[in-house]
Amino acid sequence: ATSGTAKAPVTVTVTGAAGQIGYALLFRIASGQLLGADTPVRLRLLEIPQGVKAAEGTAMELDDCAFPLLRSIDIADDPRVGFEGANVALLVGARPRTAGMERGDLLEANGGIFKPQGEAINAVAADDVRVLVVGNPANTNALIAASHAPDVPAERFTAMTRLDHNRALSQLAQKTGAGVADIQGLTIWGNHSATQYPDVFHATVAGRPATELVDETWLAETFIPTVAKRGAAIIEARGASSAASAANAAVDHVRDWVLGTPEGTWTSAAIPSDGSYGVPEGLISSFPVTSTGGRWEIVQGLDVNEFSRQRIDASITELVEEREAVRGLGLV
Ligand code: NAD
Ligand code: LMR
């Protein structure tokens, strides 16, 4: 069918397509919310063999939505097929931590997923491929995938802290009685884990410095732990980890990366460090970022006070430890 749209179709691969984030994500991509109402989409769903049947069911429902922008849906259980021609790759499927599993076991199990996926992206994805890792531990999974894709520029591998950013926006808006759209200059630093640091020291709320509206006790005792432990609180309340909000954040991240961030503010994304703010080069860590021309850039020149420095350093230390652990396993 022709639609009169001028743009070429974009191929989007989603791994873990039959999972709960996949289910919340695919319909938004196919409806045009990821890349805009003028960009046709070809979806490629990557699953493990046990997930293929459920992915086929989701594909039937995608057909039944009759989305005008959706050009094709292909389902694969082989990464070399699933990433074929991918311009955007959303790496959602991961090995969740189960009872009795140590962190090292978790990193090793995920290495078994993200190493072959990195290799496949290197071999068969489009030259302009942009990768967002959602599956946990997201930053280190992204590092593993990137290190097995030597022909893809490292900056194309990112991990998701946009959900943390959105959580922080919402908490600060509720505390100050403002709307989320009135808040600018929030940052998530570090790892997508409980050590992450949501920083309001450069934020404004309807033009006023956030620090005039909230005090350090609220930041230290309420805001930071609420944002950092929100994932666990959702699991506790829902009996399953966040899904629609995670999918929403993935849409926000990719849309801003491809189409650019709005003027006058920044967002948060975990991208390979260039050494800015004392974060060791190459670590995939969350920073304040803007996007123009399809590239993330770290916002430079922000003062980092002692309160922030300690918390950023704690999260960086954890990321360095994760990197050491996967190095020890020969995964990077
Ligand atoms: P889920 O268990 O519902 O779905 C995961 C899917 O991935 C399953 O269908 C599984 O078959 C598939 N899968 C497993 N290994 C795969 C592989 N090698 N290739 C392709 N598919 C594979 O989980 P979910 O709720 O959708 O969450 C997915 C991941 O996202 C988890 O790791 C979760 O912790 C993480 N997560 C991250 C954030 C974030 O902010 N970064 C937020 C929420 C959840
Ligand atoms: C979240 O932040 O909601 C998830 O990363 C939590 C999890 O462990 O899946």
Side-chain angles (χ1 to χ4, degrees), residues 2-273:
T2 54
S3 71
T5 50
K7 289 201 178 166
V10 173
T11 298
V12 181
T13 297
V14 177
T15 79
Q20 42 152 11
I21 295 175
Y23 194 72
L25 184 57
L26 290 165
F27 298 85
R28 297 196 53 189
I29 299 171
S31 71
Q33 292 177 60
L34 188 75
L35 298 164
D38 55 353
T39 304
V41 177
R42 298 189 190 284
L43 279 176
R44 300 187 75 84
L45 316 189
L46 181 65
E47 259 294 344
I48 50 176
Q50 307 90 289
V52 165
K53 187 152 186 266
E56 285 168 356
T58 305
M60 290 162 70
E61 284 201 73
L62 283 160
D63 280 341
D64 295 349
C65 293
F67 288 121
L69 292 170
L70 183 57
R71 289 305 150 82
S72 61
I73 311 171
D74 291 285
I75 300 169
D77 61 9
D78 176 352
R80 300 238 167 194
V81 179
F83 291 113
E84 181 75 54
N87 306 106
V88 175
L90 294 158
L91 275 48
V92 178
R95 173 73 162 82
R97 191 200 290 261
T98 40
M101 214 175 179
E102 298 297 331
R103 197 167 183 89
D105 301 334
L106 182 72
L107 291 169
E108 189 163 22
N110 278 296
I113 296 174
F114 289 87
K115 177 175 185 269
Q117 290 188 356
E119 290 167 347
I121 288 167
N122 197 57
V124 302
D127 286 345
D128 69 348
V129 66
R130 288 182 174 77
V131 181
L132 171 62
V133 177
V134 175
N136 282 319
N139 301 52
T140 296
N141 287 340
L143 192 69
I144 294 169
S147 70
H148 294 281
D151 303 329
V152 179
E155 65 180 35
R156 306 279 192 72
F157 283 86
T158 65
M160 192 165 91
T161 53
R162 186 60 172 266
L163 177 54
D164 310 295
H165 184 94
N166 288 343
R167 287 166 171 166
L169 277 176
S170 212
Q171 292 299 319
L172 185 60
Q174 285 172 26
K175 173 70 177 174
T176 57
V180 286
D182 295 327
I183 299 175
Q184 261 105 48
L186 259 179
T187 305
I188 304 294
W189 299 90
N191 201 1
H192 172 69
S193 76
T195 68
Q196 67 176 268
Y197 171 51
D199 175 3
V200 308
F201 284 98
H202 303 96
T204 57
V205 181
R208 285 184 65 193
T211 49
E212 287 179 8
L213 303 169
V214 299
D215 61 34
E216 263 189 35
T217 306
W218 180 77
L219 290 177
E221 291 174 13
T222 304
F223 175 74
I224 295 169
T226 300
V227 174
K229 295 182 192 161
R230 187 71 163 183
I234 302 278
I235 291 171
E236 172 70 23
R238 246 172 58 81
S241 69
S242 60
S245 57
N248 177 68
V251 169
D252 285 351
H253 176 115
V254 172
R255 189 201 54 228
D256 281 358
W257 192 1
V258 173
L259 301 177
T261 40
E263 278 291 305
T265 187
W266 66 73
T267 186
S268 304
I271 67 172
S273 177

Side-chain angles (χ1 to χ4, degrees), residues 239-326:
S241 69
S242 60
S245 57
N248 177 68
V251 169
D252 285 351
H253 176 115
V254 172
R255 189 201 54 228
D256 281 358
W257 192 1
V258 173
L259 301 177
T261 40
E263 278 291 305
T265 187
W266 66 73
T267 186
S268 304
I271 67 172
S273 177
D274 61 0
S276 293
Y277 298 103
V279 180
E281 206 177 324
L283 268 194
I284 297 187
S285 180
S286 190
F287 286 100
V289 290
T290 56
S291 165
T292 16
R295 290 183 65 149
W296 290 119
E297 271 177 59
I298 297 171
V299 176
Q300 296 296 335
L302 301 177
D303 283 334
V304 175
N305 64 19
E306 191 47 39
F307 182 98
S308 296
R309 189 73 257 168
Q310 282 176 13
R311 288 166 171 83
I312 294 171
D313 287 349
S315 198
I316 297 312
T317 298
E318 183 184 53
L319 280 173
V320 169
E321 287 167 3
E322 288 185 15
R323 182 166 70 178
E324 290 309 310
V326 293

